[in-house]
Amino acid sequence: MPAGVYTKDVDGRYTSTNDNRNNFTEESPLGLTDAEIQPPEIADQLRANDLAVMEQQETLVFEEQFVTSTGTRWLLSYKTPLHDEAGQVVGILGASQDITKRKLAEDELRRSEDRFKKLFDNASVGIIVCDLIRNSKGKIEDYIHLQANKAILTHAGIKENDVIGKRCSEVIPAGETAPFIEKLTTVLETGTPYSYQPHFTSLGGTLEHTPS
């Protein structure tokens, strides 16, 4: 939807709007304030944003909520102060773009990330998330540990600060790192997970490792 453009006076009353701005409400808001057409908590925030623009006398950008006939919408609003010939602030000019779809997508992504984090943290199997390190020829030569869940720390008998942000070769001796790199390369080239049980003398035990 194209941006809705509008002006308000110092008291917050709409003095002009374009057709796109009118699409946000069933009736024209001309002569009305947000307090007369919006729920109190939303109207208060809109008014606070307008006052900030007039007090600071500069263009500000806000993410604002606005209740319409189709439900609550999210708007990305650019607001700038209006001045009279004497340079006195007489109101604001605003342009608001509907960003509801983007906000809903962000909320869903956040919920998805929260679900992943809960599964990751509470999984009974050890999980490590890594970032690959390649040499000048593009060959994988090591990797950095980005995340490790509680299970892998318990199984391996290590602490989080012993592994996070460190290369595999810093945690495990070079002689024991090679199988990891080999299996990771195979998984990336074939797209097929691979499971094996290497023994780590540095960790004093055997772990089942499934790169994917």
Side-chain angles (χ1 to χ4, degrees):
M1 179 186 294
V5 180
Y6 49 89
T7 58
K8 299 179 187 179
D9 63 20
V10 292
D11 295 320
R13 296 190 181 280
Y14 287 89
T15 54
S16 68
T17 62
N18 69 349
D19 290 339
N20 294 320
R21 173 61 185 77
N22 293 337
N23 288 333
F24 295 145
T25 54
E26 292 183 343
E27 300 179 0
S28 171
L30 288 178
L32 302 177
T33 67
D34 289 312
E36 296 173 281
I37 59 176
Q38 291 294 297
E41 65 277 7
I42 291 181
D44 289 347
Q45 185 60 63
L46 294 172
R47 181 58 176 164
N49 294 346
D50 294 348
L51 289 173
V53 170
M54 290 187 284
E55 290 171 358
Q56 298 179 36
Q57 296 198 43
E58 62 180 353
T59 300
L60 300 176
V61 182
F62 306 95
E63 287 190 357
E64 303 176 319
Q65 287 185 295
F66 203 91
V67 176
T68 72
S69 58
T70 59
T72 301
R73 314 297 294 178
W74 278 98
L75 307 177
L76 180 64
S77 300
Y78 294 80
K79 297 183 175 182
T80 193
L82 291 176
H83 301 86
D84 62 15
E85 293 181 356
Q88 297 297 311
V89 176
V90 294
I92 66 139
L93 166 66
S96 297
Q97 181 73 46
D98 191 327
I99 59 168
T100 305
K101 288 183 179 180
R102 192 198 81 188
K103 292 293 291 186
L104 292 176
E106 290 174 351
D107 288 344
E108 178 55 34
L109 177 60
R110 191 175 300 109
R111 287 192 294 270
S112 177
E113 290 174 343
D114 288 342
R115 289 193 295 269
F116 168 78
K117 188 176 187 307
K118 289 179 181 178
L119 290 172
F120 180 82
D121 290 341
N122 298 315
S124 59
V125 296
I127 305 173
I128 289 183
V129 178
C130 304
D131 189 18
L132 301 178
I133 298 174
R134 299 176 183 271
N135 60 24
S136 59
K137 296 182 179 180
K139 183 179 179 180
I140 300 171
E141 60 181 13
D142 209 335
Y143 60 82
I144 294 178
H145 302 95
L146 302 179
Q147 292 176 279
N149 71 348
K150 297 175 184 177
I152 190 64
L153 299 177
T154 299
H155 297 336
I158 55 178
K159 297 179 180 180
E160 190 173 41
N161 58 8
D162 292 332
V163 62
I164 300 303
K166 295 185 178 181
R167 296 186 176 205
C168 177
S169 56
E170 294 178 292
V171 179
I172 300 171
E176 297 179 354
T177 301
F180 273 123
I181 306 305
E182 178 185 346
K183 302 307 178 187
L184 277 174
T185 301
T186 300
V187 167
L188 288 173
E189 290 177 348
T190 65
T192 303
Y194 187 93
S195 180
Y196 69 110
Q197 295 182 330
H199 179 81
F200 301 110
T201 56
S202 55
L203 298 179
T206 298
L207 294 177
E208 183 172 355
H209 184 63
T210 308
S212 60

